Amino acid sequence: MTYSLEELNRESAVGNAGKEANDREIRVIDLSNFEQRRSEITEQLWSAATEIGFFQLSHHGISKSEIDAAFFESNRFFNLATKVKEQYLRPKGINAGWESRSQIRPSTGTADQKESYQITQFHMQDLWPTEEELPAFQHNMMTFENKCWSLGMKVLSCFADKLGFERDFFSSAHDPNKPDYQSTLRLLHYFPTVGVDQQENIWRAGAHTDFDCLTLLFQHEGHGGLQVCPGKEIDSQSWTSIPPRSNVVTCNIGDMLMRWSDDRLKSNFHRVRMPLKDEYCGSRHSIAFFCQANKEQTIQGPDKLYPPITAKDFLNMRIQANFTEADS
C-alpha cells in the first residue's frame, strides 16, 4: 500500500540524473457540464487514478481570476520581511504556519529548497498575519480554500460512486464545520537558483508520496520541475514532467485514499527537481490543497483489506515513517 524508506532512498541515489519519460500520458479531464456528464467523468477519473495516480482538470469551476488572486495573496505573504514571517512559525506537530528549508525528505537527506505557509483553519490561532501587515489576507485565503474544498469533494464524490460509498461520503468525512477538520491549503515558494550549479542531492522537493486523500495543485505557466514516477517503475528511474499550465488543476492521489480504496487508487512518487541552467531559474510559486479526512474519521476500504484506523492516527503513522527531523 505504501512505499518503504529503503525504496525512497534507493530512488534518491540516481538524483537529478534520473531518466525522463515524457511519453507517459498525464490525462487532462474536462469537468464541464459535470452533472450531465458525471458517469463519463467518473470513468475517466477512475482510469487515471488507478493507472498513474496523477491527472489534470480543465473547466474545473475555479476561474483564472480567482487563481491569480490567490497567487497575489501568496506573493504578498512571502514578500514580508523574514522577521515578520518568523512570528508565524509552524509549531512542532501542527500543520499550520510558516516554515523555511525545514522539510527534510528521507529520499534525499537534505532540506527542500523552499518556504511554505500552511493554512489549516482550526489550528491558525496566532498564525495569521495581522490586518496591518496583510489587509484582507485571511478572508481572501479562506475564500479560496473553500473553492478548493468544493472542487476536491466533487472529484472525491466520483470515487465514492466507484467504491460503493454514498455519494456524499467523502464530503462528510472532510466536514469543514467540525473542529477536527484538517484539510490544508499550502502556499509554496521555491527559492531561485540563478547561479547555483546543478547538485545531485539538492532538490526543491525530494521524492515523496502525499499522505492525504487528494491533492489539488495550482501552478504558474512556465514554472516547471514537477515530475511523477509510478511506484511500480521506481527502479527504472523513469520520471515524467507535469506541464505547468495555469488553466488546469493538477491532482494526485494520496496514501490515505489509496488505503481507503483497498489499494485500487494509486498514490505515487513525485518530486520537484532543480531547474537546469538553460531553464527558468527564478522563484517558483505554487499552491496546493490537501484533502485530509477529519481527525476522528475512520478509514477502512469496502473490502476491509486493512484494519480500521482514524485519519489522525493514519497521518501520524505516515509522518513517523517518513520524517525523523524537522517535519515530525
Side-chain angles (χ1 to χ4, degrees):
M1 191 274 297
T2 54
Y3 306 111
S4 69
L5 179 60
E6 289 75 15
E7 286 176 305
L8 281 165
N9 285 334
R10 182 169 69 248
E11 178 279 325
S12 71
V14 177
N16 285 284
K19 296 180 293 185
E20 292 200 7
N22 288 320
D23 57 342
R24 185 185 291 132
E25 182 185 11
I26 304 300
R27 298 170 199 171
V28 180
I29 299 170
D30 180 359
L31 298 190
S32 61
N33 300 314
F34 179 79
E35 289 302 336
Q36 293 80 7
R37 298 176 53 239
R38 174 182 279 274
S39 178
E40 172 194 352
I41 291 169
T42 295
E43 293 304 320
Q44 292 175 359
L45 289 170
W46 184 261
S47 176
T50 55
E51 293 174 19
I52 294 183
F54 265 74
F55 49 90
Q56 294 182 314
L57 306 175
S58 66
H59 302 99
H60 42 72
I62 303 179
S63 69
K64 186 176 184 304
S65 63
E66 290 169 328
I67 296 169
D68 289 345
F71 274 114
F72 176 80
E73 297 296 333
S74 177
N75 289 342
R76 282 212 298 159
F77 178 85
F78 291 124
N79 285 336
L80 291 172
T82 299
K83 65 180 181 179
V84 176
K85 291 183 285 191
E86 286 175 343
Q87 299 176 84
Y88 309 111
L89 278 171
R90 175 179 171 272
K92 187 175 178 64
I94 300 295
N95 196 25
W98 177 72
E99 61 81 26
S100 180
R101 291 188 174 96
S102 72
Q103 193 166 34
I104 300 174
R105 307 283 182 186
S107 62
T108 63
T110 58
D112 286 354
Q113 297 301 295
K114 62 175 172 54
E115 61 179 327
S116 66
Y117 179 71
Q118 283 67 231
I119 298 170
T120 306
Q121 70 171 5
F122 292 111
H123 293 293
M124 297 302 292
Q125 184 175 355
D126 300 324
L127 294 177
W128 288 111
T130 66
E131 283 296 304
E132 290 73 23
E133 291 162 343
L134 289 180
F137 176 78
Q138 178 177 347
H139 170 79
N140 293 340
M141 285 287 84
M142 288 308 300
T143 299
F144 188 71
E145 194 266 1
N146 183 256
K147 291 275 185 181
C148 293
W149 181 89
S150 296
L151 176 57
M153 295 310 108
K154 180 180 288 187
V155 173
L156 288 173
S157 74
C158 295
F159 294 142
D161 284 348
K162 293 292 290 186
L163 291 169
F165 295 136
E166 294 293 326
R167 183 164 288 178
D168 65 351
F169 176 83
F170 288 114
S171 297
S172 298
H174 297 74
D175 188 346
N177 297 311
K178 292 184 177 178
D180 64 339
Y181 176 73
Q182 58 179 349
S183 291
T184 298
L185 184 67
R186 189 179 204 193
L187 313 182
L188 291 144
H189 169 220
Y190 299 90
F191 299 116
T193 63
V194 178
V196 177
D197 288 336
Q198 185 78 356
Q199 297 182 56
E200 193 168 278
N201 203 38
I202 301 297
W203 295 86
R204 282 180 157 176
H208 63 283
T209 60
D210 289 346
F211 302 157
D212 60 344
C213 278
L214 179 72
T215 302
L216 310 179
L217 181 70
F218 302 84
Q219 301 187 85
H220 272 314
E221 201 87 25
H223 289 201
L226 176 64
Q227 297 180 310
V228 60
C229 180
K232 64 184 178 181
E233 300 175 37
I234 195 64
D235 284 325
S236 72
Q237 283 297 300
S238 179
W239 291 87
T240 293
S241 295
I242 308 294
R245 299 169 179 152
S246 61
N247 62 335
V248 302
V249 179
T250 299
C251 299
N252 63 276
I253 304 301
D255 297 343
M256 184 180 287
L257 188 57
M258 186 166 173
R259 180 173 177 132
W260 225 330
S261 69
D262 296 315
D263 289 352
R264 282 178 279 183
L265 300 171
K266 305 302 183 185
S267 174
N268 281 323
F269 288 121
H270 51 286
R271 66 188 187 183
V272 182
R273 68 165 173 78
M274 297 282 275
L276 304 175
K277 289 182 179 180
D278 60 348
E279 296 176 329
Y280 169 72
C281 293
S283 289
R284 180 183 187 272
H285 291 267
S286 64
I287 299 174
F289 181 69
F290 301 97
C291 300
Q292 299 182 148
N294 291 18
K295 293 179 181 179
E296 299 307 317
Q297 174 68 41
T298 298
I299 297 169
Q300 188 171 44
D303 297 334
K304 298 180 171 56
L305 183 63
Y306 298 98
I309 187 172
T310 65
K312 177 182 178 181
D313 288 345
F314 177 81
L315 288 177
N316 286 336
M317 177 183 70
R318 295 299 295 130
I319 290 169
Q320 290 169 14
N322 281 272
F323 295 106
T324 56
E325 297 189 43
D327 229 49
S328 62

